[in-house]
Amino acid sequence: MTIGGEAIQHQRHQLRLLRRAVALLLCMAIVIAALGVTAIRRDAEALLHQDVLSELLLWGAVLVVVVVALVGTYSVMADFLFWEGWLNGLPNPAHLFAAPTADDRGHRHYLVYLDGIHQSEECHPPRVSEFLETLEEAIEADALLVKGIEAYTIMPVGLRATAYARWFWERLFALQEHHPNGFVRFLSAFCVQANNVIKVGISSDRRYGPVMNYELALKIARRLEAIGFHPSRAARVVLVGYSGGGEMAIGTAAMLQKLCHVPVQVITVCGVFSGNGDLSSVDHVAMVVGSRDPVAALGRLAYPGRLPLLPLSNWNRWQRTRSLHRISIEGMNHNGASGPFSVAYRAKVVREIVRELELTSA
């Protein structure tokens, strides 16, 4: 996209000022947080007395607020630093799929799994891995399941391997996994969750969402290219998004379709999404939901654009011209022992996904 020279210079000047202000605020927040943690550790025994327990809770709340502010600022600024070219810039999409590669497997359908906000690295937790193995065995031979894409980072690697913030995330993961204090482990895990939740929020935002969704679409397209995908052979790409991954899938679908030059469809599993994304060129969206899933139900209320009260929202306009497949599984919850990855419901969810693939097969 080309804009006037004066306008772009003004925008860059404003962005530089914003970066400096954010950097200063980050430094101040880090110092305050460090002092707070030191004070709590030094006076831990005193603070645990009943008469000052409220003070401990107050300090904990303050630290959580500081951490969320830091992680939120990181999430937003990382996207725009990447967009502005500070992190080696955006790859030129014109170079994607320049020439067909040798692929004897003959895959025509590519399923891309996007995990929920619990994802902290490219490898999946054991329950999710078992679910994906079951799905991989159930799909046809000409379909390929693409795993290990971290939907909440813009770089081709996970948080732990990002060159510009590796030291921070490695330290955070080390605290989460090995620190003897349970509160520190909880706070470290909370940071990762906060980053992912904020990314879901950005994706659903009409102003900044298209930037991050395009970056994620380009990341997925590059992964597809690396494993042998080419538009001349492929029939479609299917984005399977669990929980917050449903928002990332719906927000990314139309842009990924333009990059890959094949139809893209979306299947959400217990999806939490806004419906603000541009779905005008996407023909197929299916929702696999649980009858006892309060998180997905709350997500619909949190995003009023999915309610019939706003008939001009992107989601409602799409539904008037397309057919939404809503598949309800009785008794299924959002996660845990009765979630979609549990032994009780794993096979049912896989069966519904495969059935949807067969119904919409080109």
Side-chain angles (χ1 to χ4, degrees), residues 39-336:
I40 289 177
R41 177 174 292 181
R42 184 182 62 241
D43 301 325
E45 290 186 7
L47 289 172
L48 287 175
H49 287 285
Q50 186 174 0
D51 56 344
V52 288
L53 185 58
S54 59
E55 185 177 352
L56 175 60
L57 295 176
L58 177 62
W59 271 104
V62 170
L63 287 175
V64 167
V65 170
V66 170
V67 167
V68 170
L70 288 172
V71 174
T73 303
Y74 161 81
S75 293
V76 176
M77 292 306 298
D79 284 336
F80 285 97
L81 289 175
F82 186 66
W83 184 266
E84 286 290 308
W86 284 45
L87 305 174
N88 297 325
L90 286 168
N92 188 345
H95 298 157
L96 284 169
F97 320 118
T101 56
D103 185 4
D104 298 332
R105 294 166 296 184
H107 295 123
R108 298 186 66 248
H109 309 281
Y110 288 80
L111 279 70
V112 179
Y113 176 72
L114 302 178
D115 213 346
I117 62 168
H118 63 263
Q119 187 179 20
S120 59
E121 50 192 339
E122 291 178 290
C123 60
H124 300 290
R127 277 192 175 185
V128 179
S129 297
E130 292 169 2
F131 167 82
L132 294 176
E133 288 174 4
T134 304
L135 178 59
E136 200 166 22
E137 293 172 358
I139 59 179
E140 297 181 356
D142 63 347
L144 179 66
L145 178 61
V146 183
K147 301 173 285 188
I149 291 182
E150 193 166 359
Y152 308 100
T153 66
I154 56 176
M155 303 300 285
V157 294
L159 287 173
R160 196 191 296 264
T162 50
Y164 57 92
R166 180 183 301 147
W167 62 271
F168 172 74
W169 292 109
E170 283 184 347
R171 179 61 176 162
L172 199 63
F173 286 131
L175 291 173
Q176 177 183 339
E177 295 165 4
H178 305 298
H179 199 279
N181 188 299
F183 179 74
V184 174
R185 292 198 303 271
F186 165 78
L187 193 60
S188 301
F190 185 83
C191 287
V192 177
Q193 299 285 324
N195 172 73
N196 295 349
V197 170
I198 290 168
K199 286 295 178 67
V200 172
I202 296 173
S203 175
S204 66
D205 189 273
R206 292 179 178 272
R207 299 161 298 174
Y208 310 116
V211 173
M212 194 189 75
N213 290 332
Y214 174 76
E215 292 167 348
L216 178 57
L218 188 56
K219 175 178 178 176
I220 295 172
R222 293 172 70 190
R223 172 69 72 85
L224 290 173
E225 182 184 39
I227 60 176
F229 171 94
H230 195 273
S232 64
R233 291 190 301 264
R236 61 175 169 175
V237 174
V238 182
L239 299 176
V240 181
Y242 164 68
S243 190
E247 170 62 42
M248 312 308 283
I250 287 180
T252 303
M255 296 182 185
L256 184 63
Q257 189 165 268
K258 293 178 181 178
L259 290 173
C260 294
H261 309 290
V262 296
V264 173
Q265 72 181 84
V266 176
I267 301 176
T268 68
V269 179
C270 301
V272 179
F273 58 92
S274 65
N276 291 338
D278 178 19
L279 291 170
S280 57
S281 61
V282 178
D283 290 329
H284 300 294
V285 175
M287 299 168 52
V288 179
V289 298
S291 64
R292 296 185 179 180
D293 184 354
V295 178
L298 181 61
R300 188 182 183 191
L301 296 176
Y303 293 112
R306 290 177 56 193
L307 298 175
L309 299 174
L310 298 176
L312 297 181
S313 68
N314 284 358
W315 179 250
N316 288 321
R317 283 187 296 174
W318 181 86
Q319 285 196 84
R320 284 197 293 271
T321 58
R322 307 294 201 283
S323 177
L324 172 69
H325 295 172
R326 190 179 187 277
I327 305 146
S328 180
I329 298 180
E330 185 64 31
M332 189 174 74
N333 207 320
H334 194 77
N335 49 29

Side-chain angles (χ1 to χ4, degrees), residues 15-34:
L15 187 60
R16 290 192 197 100
L17 294 178
L18 178 62
R19 288 179 186 132
R20 292 170 185 170
V22 168
L24 179 60
L25 289 173
L26 285 174
C27 291
M28 293 174 61
I30 289 171
V31 171
I32 293 173

